[in-house]
Amino acid sequence: MPLMPSAGLRARVALDRHDFRTSHALGQNFLLDDALLSHLLDLADVSAQDNVLEIGPGAGVMTALLAGRAQRVLAVEVDERLQPVLESVLAPHENASVRYADFLKCDVGALVDGAFGGAPYRVVANLPYYITADILLRLTTCARRPERIDIMVQREAAERILSNPGCKQWCALAAIVRHYGAARVLEDVPAAAFEPPPHVESCFLEIARYAEPPVRPADEAAFLRTIHAAFAMRRKTLANNLKSAFGLSAQQAADVLDRAGIDGRARGEALSLEELARVSDALQEAKY
Ligand code: SAM
C-alpha cells in the first residue's frame, strides 16, 4: 500500500497550489504540524464514539486528524477560499464534512442535528480569537449544548474564563461558562507553533459540561439576562445596572436586592454564581 503523506504535508501542498494567503481579519493562524495536533487530540481524549463539531477548520489538518479518530466530524468554515484546500486535505476522510458559513449566524441545533442526528456531540477547535467569547456564549447557552469543549484560545481569554468572583477578570463570559462546566488549561502552546505566529500567547482549554449545573435558577433565560445586566457597566453598582437593564426604579432595584439578600451597594462583578441566581429569582418573583 502506498504511504499516505501526512495531513500537514497535504495541507502545505494544497495551500501552495492554490496560492492561499492567510487573512489576519479572520484570525487565520494555522496549526499544520501533525505531531503537535495529535498530542492535543490525545489531551482532548478524542475517541471513536465522538461526534465532533469543529469551528474554523482552516487548512484542515486538525479536521483530518479528528476524522481519523472520531466517528463523525462537521467543520464550519467562513472562508470559502479554503474550499479547494479542504477538499484536497479531507479527500481520504468520508466521515468529515465542511459547511461554509459564519458560525455565529448558524442555528447550532439545526447544524448538529443535521450532522449527528440527536446524538451528543463535542467541540474541538483552534478558534478564531477575535470571536472566542461570542462562540463560547453560543455553545454554552444554546438548546443543543456540547458535552465537552476543547479549544485553543488566547491566554488572556483563558485567564478570564478561569477567573473567580471578585477578581478583575470575572465577567459575564466567566460566569456563563462556569454555569455550563468545569474549565482547565490542558497545555500552553507557543506562538511559534502557528503559521503565521499570532502576537499573543495561546493555550488549549478544556471545558467539561457539568451533569448537574452548580446553581438552579428558576428560569435559565432570565438568569442569563441577569448575568449580562450585572456586568453591563463595570463601574456602576448592581442596583444601577438592574435599573438600566430592567427599567426599574431605585426603590424596585433596592427591593430586588433586599429580597435576594444582597448588599444594595454591591457591584455585579463581586457576585458569585449563586448570588446572581438569587438576584435572577428575585427579579422573577417580582415579575420584572
Ligand atoms: N483549525 C485551523 C488550524 O488549526 O489550522 C484554523 C484555525 S484559525 C485560528 C481559525 C479559523 O476560523 C480560520 O480558518 C478562519 O477562516 C475561521 N473563521 C473565522 N471566523 C469564522 C466564523 N465566523 N465562522 C467560521 N469560521 C471562522
Side-chain angles (χ1 to χ4, degrees):
M1 213 160 100
L3 203 60
M4 167 127 77
S6 71
L9 182 58
R10 296 204 305 278
R12 282 178 199 286
V13 169
L15 286 166
D16 205 40
R17 182 179 307 134
H18 297 284
D19 198 20
F20 187 83
R21 298 277 171 267
T22 52
S23 154
H24 179 66
L26 290 176
Q28 290 178 342
N29 302 98
F30 294 161
L31 290 172
L32 301 175
D33 183 74
D34 287 60
L36 169 68
L37 284 162
S38 295
H39 170 62
L40 296 177
L41 299 190
D42 284 346
L43 293 175
D45 204 16
V46 177
S47 66
Q49 306 81 45
D50 288 335
N51 290 308
V52 182
L53 171 65
E54 184 191 9
I55 298 144
V61 185
M62 183 187 265
T63 324
L65 296 177
L66 281 167
R69 295 176 181 228
Q71 189 178 147
R72 264 213 80 70
V73 182
L74 170 66
V76 181
E77 174 56 63
V78 75
D79 188 352
E80 290 189 29
R81 295 180 305 145
L82 284 162
Q83 187 163 356
V85 176
L86 284 164
E87 278 172 4
S88 144
V89 175
L90 298 178
H93 301 284
E94 281 181 1
N95 60 341
S97 53
V98 182
R99 171 78 67 87
Y100 294 92
D102 177 346
F103 177 72
L104 296 179
K105 294 193 178 140
C106 292
D107 173 337
V108 179
L111 199 64
V112 296
D113 284 346
F116 312 131
Y121 74 102
R122 54 184 299 185
V123 169
V124 182
N126 171 16
L127 287 186
Y129 293 170
Y130 73 107
I131 45 172
T132 298
D134 292 334
I135 291 174
L136 262 182
L137 287 173
R138 277 181 89 86
L139 290 172
T140 53
T141 61
C142 68
R144 259 299 249 135
R145 292 170 209 182
E147 296 305 304
R148 178 174 164 169
I149 301 173
D150 292 86
I151 42 173
M152 189 72 73
V153 296
Q154 189 175 338
R155 170 148 273 286
E156 230 173 61
E159 283 167 5
R160 272 197 293 138
I161 290 162
L162 294 165
S163 68
N164 289 308
C167 291
K168 205 170 80 205
Q169 290 116 317
W170 179 242
C171 56
L173 175 65
I176 290 168
V177 169
R178 182 173 294 211
H179 185 53
Y180 160 87
R184 67 184 175 124
V185 172
L186 293 177
E187 185 109 320
D188 291 318
V189 180
F194 299 81
E195 300 187 31
H199 298 294
V200 293
E201 295 301 311
S202 300
C203 57
F204 196 48
L205 190 71
E206 169 196 300
I207 313 172
R209 182 177 174 177
Y210 291 126
E212 280 298 320
V215 294
R216 286 217 165 267
D219 182 308
E220 281 280 329
F223 182 48
L224 294 177
R225 281 199 301 278
T226 305
I227 293 176
H228 284 296
F231 292 97
M233 305 273 250
R234 292 189 84 85
R235 284 196 308 277
K236 281 193 178 180
T237 60
L238 177 59
N240 276 331
N241 273 330
L242 292 182
K243 274 165 56 188
S244 337
F246 296 94
L248 308 185
S249 67
Q251 189 55 53
Q252 287 170 323
D255 287 347
V256 164
L257 292 184
D258 192 43
R259 196 188 279 244
I262 308 287
D263 186 326
R265 291 157 303 176
R267 290 185 190 278
E269 59 262 35
L271 262 57
S272 67
L273 216 51
E274 204 266 324
E275 289 168 320
L276 287 162
R278 292 212 309 265
V279 174
S280 167
D281 288 352
L283 283 162
Q284 287 287 100
E285 282 161 24
K287 306 211 179 328
Y288 293 139

